[in-house]
Amino acid sequence: MTLHPSRLQILADKQELQELVLRYARAVDRREFSRLATLYHPDGCHDHGGMFKGRPADFIEWLKQSMVDMETQHLVANSLFVVESDTARGEIYTVNFHHFPASGMNYVAGGRYLDHYVRHDGHWVFQMRTRVVDWSEERPANAGMTAATLLRGSIGLDDPSRSLSPFYDD
């Protein structure tokens, strides 16, 4: 079976969209805010419900302030995309973990991002990103000793993943 060129383009677009949502999660968790800014259209919008709604630059400033006392991990699960030429829509399932070391608490939320994408300067970017929470829980954090001797991740340039930097250069 031979794939029609337009079907190949749709597959390539969906792969690029998948990488976009993964780069978002990585940029937030590693606090690579300058990289996060490149993932949005300059006229884009981010809607995080009652916590924040506005321009990407303002969202990033909000993140910088709200993430001061937390460690996060955003896991991407099911991703569905609909591509229509130079625009696309997506529903991205996630489980987001937020650890607050000072208070010894964890906040875990399962939900989705409802996305609108646009091709900008030859690459897919977020035009509109809306966070929907399907469930959440808060619970005491119980530090485990199993991982005590393993390499520990960190934010920014000190993270061990920097050795993989060719994978993260744009």
Side-chain angles (χ1 to χ4, degrees):
M1 178 175 134
T2 304
L3 287 178
H4 190 274
S6 64
R7 291 182 74 188
L8 286 174
Q9 183 59 53
I10 290 172
L11 288 172
D13 288 338
K14 287 183 176 186
Q15 179 61 38
E16 187 177 341
L17 290 165
Q18 180 67 28
E19 289 181 18
L20 174 67
V21 300
L22 295 175
R23 286 173 192 252
Y24 170 91
R26 185 181 193 286
V28 170
D29 291 339
R30 302 279 63 86
R31 291 176 177 78
E32 293 181 353
F33 297 117
S34 61
R35 186 175 303 268
L36 182 60
T38 69
L39 305 180
Y40 285 89
H41 188 275
D43 297 327
C45 184
H46 188 102
D47 185 350
H48 227 71
M51 294 186 281
F52 177 88
K53 183 176 182 180
R55 299 174 328 127
D58 296 331
F59 173 64
I60 291 168
E61 288 305 312
W62 176 77
L63 279 178
K64 287 178 182 178
Q65 294 172 16
S66 65
M67 294 180 72
V68 169
D69 297 322
M70 78 171 80
E71 300 166 341
T72 62
Q73 191 170 67
H74 292 75
L75 303 179
V76 177
N78 305 355
S79 300
L80 297 170
F81 301 103
V82 176
V83 177
E84 298 164 333
S85 186
D86 288 336
T87 63
R89 293 172 284 126
E91 181 179 36
I92 313 305
Y93 282 69
T94 65
V95 177
N96 301 345
F97 295 88
H98 303 78
H99 175 61
F100 299 88
S103 67
M105 294 296 293
N106 285 335
Y107 170 75
V108 184
R112 294 164 286 141
Y113 288 96
L114 306 179
D115 294 334
H116 292 268
Y117 314 98
V118 63
R119 199 184 316 263
H120 179 69
D121 291 338
H123 297 285
W124 288 105
V125 293
F126 297 107
Q127 177 65 47
M128 176 70 185
R129 182 151 241 222
T130 302
R131 178 68 175 150
V132 175
V133 174
D134 294 318
W135 60 267
S136 67
E137 65 179 47
E138 295 178 20
R139 60 184 178 210
N142 297 314
M145 293 305 297
T146 305
T149 62
L150 298 176
L151 186 60
R152 179 135 171 96
S154 63
I155 60 171
L157 298 177
D158 294 331
D159 189 72
S161 67
R162 296 306 294 175
S163 66
L164 302 175
S165 62
F167 293 114
Y168 301 107
D169 292 340
D170 293 327

